[in-house]
Amino acid sequence: MAKTIVVKQIGSPIRRPEIQRKTLIGLGLNKMHKTRELEDTPAVRGMVNKIPHLVEIIEERG
């Protein structure tokens, strides 16, 4: 079974740079308090690390 992480959006993309909005969309998030279970890869971790003020990792599985 592959490792996964559960990511929750905690910040609004309003008045944020376009690159941060696109990173949220790339993670599958677009509304406040929405959660997504994603595969734990370096690419996903890098996206989360670029916008730590907008998302948080709730849980790590696997």
Side-chain angles (χ1 to χ4, degrees):
M1 185 173 164
K3 284 186 162 185
T4 60
I5 57 174
V6 179
V7 180
K8 180 179 180 180
Q9 182 177 344
I10 58 169
S12 172
I14 296 172
R15 296 182 56 131
R16 300 288 180 188
E18 184 68 23
I19 190 74
Q20 292 180 3
R21 282 188 240 139
K22 287 185 178 184
T23 302
L24 273 175
I25 292 169
L27 289 170
L29 301 170
N30 61 354
K31 295 183 180 175
M32 292 288 293
H33 309 293
K34 188 173 178 183
T35 60
R36 232 2 248 266
E37 185 171 351
L38 303 166
E39 192 172 342
D40 190 6
T41 63
V44 171
R45 285 284 181 163
M47 293 170 79
V48 169
N49 289 338
K50 283 193 94 153
I51 52 170
H53 54 289
L54 298 178
V55 297
E56 69 178 359
I57 296 176
I58 304 238
E59 183 179 352
E60 298 183 23
R61 297 180 184 164

